Amino acid sequence: ETGVTQSPTHLIKTRGQQVTLRCSSQSGHNTVSWYQQALGQGPQFIFQYYREEENGRGNFPPRFSGLQFPNYSSELNVNALELDDSAQYLCASSPRSSTGELFFGEGSRLTVL
Amino acid sequence: GQNIDQPTEMTATEGAIVQINCTYQTSGFNGLFWYQQHAGEAPTFLSYNVLDGLEEKGRFSSFLSRSKGYSYLLLKELQMKDSASYLCAVRVLTGGGNKLTFGTGTQLKVEL
């Protein structure tokens, strides 16, 4: 069984640029969530996708957007990057089950200079 | 909104028992999770409580009191590999999906 995979693992951007992060969900999981984790902090919910539709959003501005594809993989796009966007971005998938356990990928470490 | 509090750091001795507390204030509570996260790695699921009481899983146990907005994670027979950040997370009903709100994490250091 393949777990959640994310790419790229590390990347460096400059202020004002745009970035796309990718995530392949675990086999059989149809829900994907994205979290931002700053150093020394807990993950912060960005948004969730189910059946290719956004299904819940955290307190992040519209320049954070996403997509989910028919194979349940997902992208996180961030426009007009700011220095404070530097963080680890975690993708998590889950089955549409009652417990709601999330299975996290290793994350993408974004540095904005 | 939700508010989750847990200690920032704890230190314990190998072989000992440690209890990590978590308090929360939320509406629409629908479960509490504990995750373990080693530095530079993904969080991994440890436990889930939705009803009051104790859930035991090997060396790890988790307790929940919904009326008090309180949970703890108990780690027994501590090993050096247990040194990690422990994240308390609350799931809230928001009209759909599995949104978790995480605390800042408790950094546990296990010493000889």
Side-chain angles (χ1 to χ4, degrees), chain A residues 25 44 47-48 53 55 60 62 94-96 108 113:
Chain A
S25 61
Q44 298 293 311
F47 43 55
Q48 179 179 89
E53 296 286 332
N55 184 33
F60 281 81
S94 59
R96 195 76 170 166
S108 295
L113 302 176

Side-chain angles (χ1 to χ4, degrees), chain A residues 75-97:
Chain A
E75 286 183 356
L76 165 66
N77 299 289
V78 187
N79 294 321
L81 283 167
E82 300 177 359
L83 297 179
D84 286 348
D85 296 333
S86 295
Q88 182 88 341
Y89 288 86
L90 297 167
C91 172
S93 71
S94 59
R96 195 76 170 166
S97 68

Side-chain angles (χ1 to χ4, degrees), chain B residues 75-97:
Chain B
L75 293 77
K76 304 175 185 176
E77 300 171 13
L78 280 172
Q79 302 175 12
M80 298 298 288
K81 68 178 182 179
D82 296 329
S83 293
S85 179
Y86 291 85
L87 299 160
C88 173
V90 171
R91 184 171 69 157
V92 177
L93 286 172
T94 59

